[in-house]
Amino acid sequence: MALLDTVKKYDSVALLLQGGGALGSYQAGIYEGLHNAGIKIDRIMGISIGAINSALIAGNPHGKRLEALRGFWDKITRNNYSPKGVNPFRYTRKTLETLDHIDLYGHAMPYIFENDFLKQQLRVAESSFEAFRTMLEGQRGFFKPRGFIPFDATPNHLSYYTTDKLKETLAEFVDLKLLNNPKNMKVSVGAVNVRTGNYTVFSNETMELTFDHIIASGALPPGFPAVEIDGDYYWDGGLVSNTPLDDLIDSPQSINQLIFQVDLWDARGQVPENLIGIDERIKDIQYSSKTRYATTVMKKRHTFNHLVKELLKHIPEDQRTAACFKEAEAMTSVGFTNVFQLIYRKKAFERGHKDYEFSSHTMYEHWNTGLDDIKATLRQEPWFEMSTNGEIFEQHDIHKVRRYSYDNDL
């Protein structure tokens, strides 16, 4: 209860969702934790799969948002053609787990049933198999391979997969009237204009959002086709910036903001030891989109404007006649911004295909990881308090606390 009272002191509570394909169920787990804690979001901004999750949340009444998220993710983690249970590596791993509980086997062959390396390799193979199957079949209600891939056509037909079914799936789980009500929740999604190369923000505060705007935000080429909107074609916003925090940098700074920034890619990682690892590391660096840099820019701007306010105090009001003083005074209204970074940490079994490994098994692991991370974050109640020592910008990351605790235990 004390936490909710603290959160209510903020003028705005925002949820920012990066793009990252199959990793997006981590964001669903984050939202479930916020929802269960009673924290209400009034602004949501997303890119790619983050835009889809944004639509699922904002496009439903408060009491039905989790149901919509679960329904969508359950649907798209089914394969288009092959049966759900066809994965020999998952079957083998589950069989070993079952036999391990039978003394006759477990005690007789501990070198097999207690072999963590074997279990780990089976999980790696299981995940790789599911990613390969996604490449061949696509995912039900989301995307599927084209029967014929044209070499020369309009941009909305140039891709390896078609996302025609995604609009039907969104229509099943998203109410456009609610999505377009900024009083319910302010919604923004990012895309890239193919012709100009400019990053574009579609917002329900300035236009009427359609499913095309949501799909355009996740139209990553050459896998998915560009989406035509008002005569222009759009691709995935992550091509320019996969971090929607950029959109908040230019927002009014006079309000007190609580921001939950959910990133699916971690810029920090291990140096690759093989060619496969290079592909994964490139994705991590590229799609993390300098998330820490964007946060630093936002902090520096807040700090700069606050310093201008302090400097103006030393100039008598009767001497502030030049136009530049009026512009400077307009910059000085700075509220308190509190950013919570929730960055997905890859599982040991995941490889460079983690963004298109859509199995329901892995999806639930991502979801539960997000739920665990936000629960741990919400237990840090002092983090939510507004600063009383003059600070105007603070950042928090539950993983830093975990690393510190781990290092101290060693």
Side-chain angles (χ1 to χ4, degrees), residues 312-322 325-326 329:
L312 287 176
K313 292 179 180 179
H314 298 280
I315 302 175
E317 291 189 16
D318 58 353
Q319 295 182 21
R320 304 179 194 176
T321 56
F325 282 104
K326 292 184 180 180
E329 288 174 347

Side-chain angles (χ1 to χ4, degrees), residues 7 24 56 80 103 114 126 200 244 279 321 344 371 388-389 409:
V7 171
L56 291 166
N80 272 320
D103 291 345
E114 296 180 11
E126 175 190 342
T200 303
D279 176 63
T321 56
Y344 176 73
L371 185 57
T388 57
N389 59 4
D409 290 340

Side-chain angles (χ1 to χ4, degrees), residues 167-274:
K167 186 177 291 187
E168 296 177 15
T169 304
L170 288 174
E172 180 181 350
F173 295 106
V174 177
D175 184 338
L176 281 177
K177 289 184 178 179
L178 281 175
L179 182 65
N180 281 291
N181 182 4
K183 293 182 180 179
N184 172 54
M185 189 179 294
K186 299 179 181 67
V187 182
S188 300
V189 299
V192 176
N193 187 305
V194 178
R195 179 177 55 83
T196 66
N198 291 333
Y199 180 76
T200 303
V201 176
F202 301 123
S203 171
N204 67 353
E205 294 182 274
T206 58
M207 65 177 68
E208 183 173 346
L209 297 179
T210 67
F211 294 131
D212 284 338
H213 294 102
I214 306 302
I215 297 172
S217 182
L220 184 64
F224 298 156
V227 177
E228 185 178 6
I229 300 174
D230 297 331
D232 273 321
Y233 290 99
Y234 292 89
W235 276 335
D236 192 307
L239 291 174
V240 172
S241 175
N242 200 34
T243 303
L245 181 65
D246 295 344
D247 304 332
L248 278 182
I249 292 177
D250 295 325
S251 64
Q253 301 177 68
S254 58
I255 62 175
N256 296 315
Q257 301 180 86
L258 176 60
I259 301 171
F260 294 97
Q261 180 184 337
V262 188
D263 295 346
L264 301 179
W265 304 90
D266 190 359
R268 296 174 180 171
Q270 300 295 323
V271 176
E273 298 179 349
N274 52 55

Side-chain angles (χ1 to χ4, degrees), residues 83-377:
K84 180 179 179 181
V86 180
N87 187 319
F89 305 103
R90 176 169 172 77
Y91 179 77
T92 301
R93 191 171 59 83
K94 296 297 290 184
T95 300
L96 287 176
E97 290 177 359
T98 301
L99 293 177
D100 189 23
H101 291 86
I102 302 175
D103 291 345
L104 176 64
Y105 297 100
H107 292 167
M109 294 179 286
Y111 50 87
I112 292 180
F113 297 105
E114 296 180 11
N115 190 330
D116 291 336
F117 177 77
L118 174 61
K119 295 177 182 177
Q120 173 68 14
Q121 293 308 304
L122 285 172
R123 185 67 182 94
V124 171
E126 175 190 342
S127 178
S128 300
F129 180 89
E130 292 292 351
F132 181 69
R133 188 163 64 169
T134 293
M135 289 179 62
L136 291 180
E137 303 179 13
Q139 296 295 139
R140 189 175 303 177
F142 194 170
F143 61 94
K144 64 179 181 180
R146 291 187 181 276
F148 172 76
I149 301 175
F151 179 77
D152 187 5
T154 54
N156 56 331
H157 291 93
L158 292 174
S159 63
Y160 299 134
Y161 301 88
T162 173
T163 54
D164 294 344
K165 292 295 182 181
L166 180 55
K167 186 177 291 187
E168 296 177 15
T169 304
L170 288 174
E172 180 181 350
F173 295 106
V174 177
D175 184 338
L176 281 177
K177 289 184 178 179
L178 281 175
L179 182 65
N180 281 291
N181 182 4
K183 293 182 180 179
N184 172 54
M185 189 179 294
K186 299 179 181 67
V187 182
S188 300
V189 299
V192 176
N193 187 305
V194 178
R195 179 177 55 83
T196 66
N198 291 333
Y199 180 76
T200 303
V201 176
F202 301 123
S203 171
N204 67 353
E205 294 182 274
T206 58
M207 65 177 68
E208 183 173 346
L209 297 179
T210 67
F211 294 131
D212 284 338
H213 294 102
I214 306 302
I215 297 172
S217 182
L220 184 64
F224 298 156
V227 177
E228 185 178 6
I229 300 174
D230 297 331
D232 273 321
Y233 290 99
Y234 292 89
W235 276 335
D236 192 307
L239 291 174
V240 172
S241 175
N242 200 34
T243 303
L245 181 65
D246 295 344
D247 304 332
L248 278 182
I249 292 177
D250 295 325
S251 64
Q253 301 177 68
S254 58
I255 62 175
N256 296 315
Q257 301 180 86
L258 176 60
I259 301 171
F260 294 97
Q261 180 184 337
V262 188
D263 295 346
L264 301 179
W265 304 90
D266 190 359
R268 296 174 180 171
Q270 300 295 323
V271 176
E273 298 179 349
N274 52 55
L275 290 175
I276 296 176
I278 288 177
D279 176 63
E280 180 182 8
R281 195 71 196 104
I282 288 173
K283 282 185 178 180
D284 286 337
I285 295 171
Q286 178 181 357
Y287 292 121
S288 67
S289 288
K290 301 179 181 178
T291 181
R292 291 182 179 86
Y293 174 76
T295 308
T296 301
V297 169
M298 190 176 187
K299 180 178 181 179
K300 285 184 176 179
R301 180 173 177 180
H302 279 66
T303 304
F304 174 78
N305 291 355
H306 183 68
L307 288 174
V308 171
K309 180 179 180 179
E310 295 301 311
L311 287 171
L312 287 176
K313 292 179 180 179
H314 298 280
I315 302 175
E317 291 189 16
D318 58 353
Q319 295 182 21
R320 304 179 194 176
T321 56
C324 61
F325 282 104
K326 292 184 180 180
E327 293 181 15
E329 288 174 347
M331 297 167 52
T332 59
S333 182
V334 179
F336 176 68
T337 297
N338 199 353
V339 179
F340 285 76
Q341 291 183 316
L342 294 135
I343 304 175
Y344 176 73
R345 298 294 194 265
K346 62 168 283 187
K347 306 294 184 185
F349 64 84
E350 290 181 315
R351 298 296 183 263
H353 49 65
K354 59 189 175 185
D355 55 326
Y356 58 90
E357 202 271 81
F358 278 92
S359 70
S360 58
H361 180 204
T362 300
M363 180 270 287
Y364 281 118
E365 285 196 45
H366 292 156
W367 189 304
N368 291 330
T369 299
L371 185 57
D372 290 341
D373 283 353
I374 191 61
K375 283 182 177 179
T377 298

